[in-house]
Amino acid sequence: MKRILPLLIIVLFLSGCGVPKEYSGVSTKMGTVVTMHIYMSGEDITPKVDALLEKLETEELSRKISTSEIGRANANAGKAEVFPLSEPLLEDLKILQQLSEDSGGAFDCTIGPLSDLWNMDELATKDPASLSREVIPTKEEIENALQRVGYDRLVLRENGIVLSEGMVLDLGAAGKGIAGDRVVALLKKENVDAAVISIGGSVVTYGTKPDKSPWQVAITDPFGEKEYAGILTLVGTHFVSTSGDYERFIEVDGVRYHHILDPHTGYPVTNGLKSVTIVCDSGILSDALSTACFVIGEEEGIKLAEKYGAEALFIKEDGSVIMTDGMQAIYKEY
Ligand code: ADP
Ligand code: MG
């Protein structure tokens, strides 16, 4: 009897029962490239991940889609009554509101009037030669938009929000992280063994690969000179997010204008940083913190990251790299 049991286990193993397969996929979702590698023994769920991202973008987050929750909330700004939101979205807004407070307003998801004014999403796709000084907003326009920006004026109620006239929510700085959280919930539900999924500048590592090797996540070189700036070696589930001045920008008269805005001045942040990478155990926070830390700079940024139990890496214009202690253990320069 003693011999039979191990044999039985070996036979079950060889027959393929429980042996994970690797499924891969590439698609365009949330305005960016999504790549997936999923290890599991069941059916391929990459189409389910795609469907989830599509639904999240079109039904909840996009401010450019008038029928999404955010689109409809924005269209209802100025109407005194509470605009109802789904519970997960409301929870996410609470987290972002708290981060706005903790970052002294450096992170602000009511930045919509300014993002609309700068229109960087569209300008960055245009032929650089076609851009002249006229595309840069005037001081007056910026001042006008600033009057409609302010996280402290976003009222969160039990089942919804109140936006005053002219306010515009923009979840661009946290959307891919929110997507990461939702994807991980799906991976758990589907009994996935392990996965690595990247949604633009946000990456999720989940579980442990069948060969037990750690995850390796490359950090983009913000100068565009090397294949990548460095590599993160991660074990288990993590959320990695990078914000940089190289992602969406234009150059006019030799000046670079990029898509991360300082909610206090209304202008793109200029503080000597090229990029910020955050590693933490929450998708929404990794994404939002990378933006927040980019705005407040390395000194305050390290404190903010530590407050949230996150690791942070700052790459500066002069090429120097500054990081939290925990980051030193997982980051290797390329
Ligand atoms: P990406 O979307 O390229 O990964 P980020 O996560 O840093 O980069 O988000 C930048 C986007 O967030 C901008 O395109 C804009 O919509 C919005 N945004 C810009 N500045 C801020 C800010 N200070 N706080 C919150 N959102 C911002
Ligand atoms: Mg972000």
Side-chain angles (χ1 to χ4, degrees):
M1 190 65 198
K2 256 186 198 159
R3 285 224 178 120
I4 297 175
L5 207 61
L7 253 181
L8 206 83
I9 291 169
I10 290 168
V11 170
L12 277 178
F13 185 75
L14 288 178
S15 67
C17 181
V19 179
K21 295 190 202 91
E22 181 182 347
Y23 300 109
S24 301
V26 183
S27 58
T28 305
K29 290 280 172 287
M30 310 185 84
T32 189
V33 179
V34 176
T35 61
M36 309 179 227
H37 297 279
I38 298 180
Y39 305 84
M40 63 187 296
S41 41
E43 296 265 295
D44 182 8
I45 64 151
T46 56
K48 282 193 186 173
V49 176
D50 272 333
L52 181 154
L53 296 176
E54 179 74 25
K55 199 163 177 288
L56 179 65
E57 171 78 344
T58 56
E59 294 181 11
E60 289 186 48
L61 301 184
S62 178
R63 76 178 199 281
K64 308 257 168 83
I65 297 174
S66 60
T67 49
S68 75
E69 287 187 64
I70 293 295
R72 285 184 292 122
N74 285 340
N76 276 277
K79 313 207 167 112
E81 75 266 27
V82 177
F83 185 83
L85 288 181
S86 60
E87 210 182 301
L89 187 53
L90 197 55
E91 285 307 309
D92 286 337
L93 281 176
K94 282 182 196 160
I95 293 170
L96 297 179
Q97 182 89 317
Q98 185 61 50
L99 179 64
S100 299
E101 225 176 280
D102 293 338
S103 65
F107 183 91
D108 195 327
C109 61
T110 69
I111 199 127
L114 273 172
S115 340
D116 285 344
L117 179 64
W118 281 94
N119 193 21
M120 208 57 86
D121 293 354
E122 205 184 306
L123 290 181
T125 64
K126 289 206 168 149
D127 172 12
S130 73
L131 301 173
S132 62
R133 208 173 293 181
E134 278 82 78
V135 302
I136 308 300
T138 64
K139 232 182 160 142
E140 206 187 344
E141 286 172 320
I142 287 176
E143 248 133 54
N144 245 317
L146 271 175
Q147 284 174 13
R148 297 185 283 128
V149 174
Y151 72 91
D152 47 346
R153 291 163 53 212
L154 166 64
V155 181
L156 299 176
R157 290 276 162 75
E158 195 132 332
N159 60 343
I161 56 171
V162 186
L163 292 177
S164 51
E165 181 79 40
M167 284 180 82
V168 182
L169 288 179
D170 170 8
L171 295 195
K176 290 165 207 147
I178 293 173
D181 288 328
R182 304 286 180 92
V183 166
V184 162
L186 177 69
L187 300 179
K188 280 188 185 146
K189 195 176 126 220
E190 298 284 342
N191 287 317
V192 166
D193 294 316
V196 60
I197 298 176
S198 88
I199 310 166
S202 293
V203 179
V204 184
T205 64
Y206 178 80
T208 306
K209 264 190 274 184
D211 69 4
K212 305 277 189 291
S213 62
W215 301 110
Q216 306 230 287
V217 178
I219 305 301
T220 303
D221 173 15
F223 301 101
E225 288 161 2
K226 298 190 281 188
E227 206 175 331
Y228 34 83
I231 294 273
L232 290 168
T233 301
L234 302 169
V235 175
T237 303
H238 298 276
F239 297 86
V240 182
S241 179
T242 299
S243 289
D245 76 345
Y246 57 87
E247 286 183 69
R248 259 168 287 156
F249 68 94
I250 56 168
E251 245 155 21
V252 176
D253 295 342
V255 180
R256 175 181 287 224
Y257 300 89
H258 61 86
H259 71 316
I260 304 172
L261 305 170
D262 183 339
H264 297 120
T265 64
Y267 283 85
V269 173
T270 49
N271 58 7
L273 284 177
K274 286 297 286 181
S275 76
V276 178
T277 297
I278 299 286
V279 181
C280 75
D281 59 6
S282 147
I284 185 171
L285 283 174
S286 68
D287 195 357
L289 275 171
S290 69
T291 307
C293 289
F294 192 99
V295 178
I296 56 179
E298 67 273 20
E299 230 167 87
E300 291 300 311
I302 283 187
K303 285 186 214 153
L304 183 65
E306 279 171 351
K307 178 169 179 165
Y308 277 87
E311 303 305 338
L313 175 104
F314 300 80
I315 302 182
K316 297 181 64 171
E317 269 164 9
D318 63 9
S320 59
V321 179
I322 290 158
M323 60 189 109
T324 53
D325 291 342
M327 186 64 92
Q328 312 246 7
I330 52 176
Y331 179 75
K332 194 164 183 295
E333 203 168 312
Y334 181 60

